[in-house]
Amino acid sequence: MTQTNDAVDVTRMSLRDSGWIGYTDDAVYIERDGEKIQIDNEHVRKVTLQSLRWDLAIMSALLIGIGGYVAITRNPLVGIAFAAVGVLSMYRTYGNRYALRIQVENESKPVTVYPTYPVECHETIVDSIEDRSHDG
């Protein structure tokens, strides 16, 4: 994974949190928050699309439910605090839905982006990488 400042003709798809992801015959490019990343196709190990972190969504719903129960039966202030934490967690979990994760060779963490059209972006990037790996 390298950062680049070179001008390249890239097929782009927008990201929800500003920026874009794109591809060429040789690489996947990401520009977000002023950061430019180039990932050569031969260094991509895996591309996945995670629809929702269900474990966090369920935990958030449980916090909201427990908060409501505690607010009604025991202590309204503590219950409202639990419910508020649950609502914030649910909001953040929902905001991070459809995460496109690109696992790169020799990197411990995957590169994660949130495309505007996640399914189409995932299919396009996977097809682009697979086509180039079979050509070479």
Side-chain angles (χ1 to χ4, degrees), residues 22-105:
Y23 64 94
T24 63
D25 291 344
D26 301 319
V28 174
Y29 297 87
I30 300 169
E31 183 174 322
R32 60 181 174 187
D33 300 327
E35 176 184 30
K36 296 178 182 181
I37 301 172
Q38 174 186 345
I39 307 169
D40 294 329
N41 287 348
E42 62 264 9
H43 297 297
V44 174
R45 292 290 155 237
K46 187 177 178 183
V47 179
T48 58
L49 182 64
Q50 183 177 15
S51 62
L52 182 68
R53 299 237 4 225
W54 287 102
D55 55 341
L56 292 178
I58 291 169
M59 181 203 65
S60 301
L62 285 173
L63 273 174
I64 294 168
I66 289 170
Y69 175 77
V70 169
I72 293 170
T73 62
R74 305 282 180 186
N75 186 335
L77 191 57
V78 172
I80 290 171
F82 268 91
V85 169
V87 167
L88 289 174
S89 178
M90 184 69 78
Y91 176 77
R92 186 167 182 228
T93 301
Y94 181 76
N96 290 336
R97 72 198 181 287
Y98 288 113
L100 181 69
R101 300 184 191 282
I102 303 171
Q103 185 64 47
V104 182
E105 168 181 274

Side-chain angles (χ1 to χ4, degrees), residues 108-127:
S108 58
K109 287 184 159 186
V111 176
T112 304
V113 295
Y114 303 96
T116 304
Y117 301 102
V119 175
E120 294 85 356
C121 182
H122 176 255
E123 290 172 355
T124 303
I125 297 295
V126 168
D127 289 345

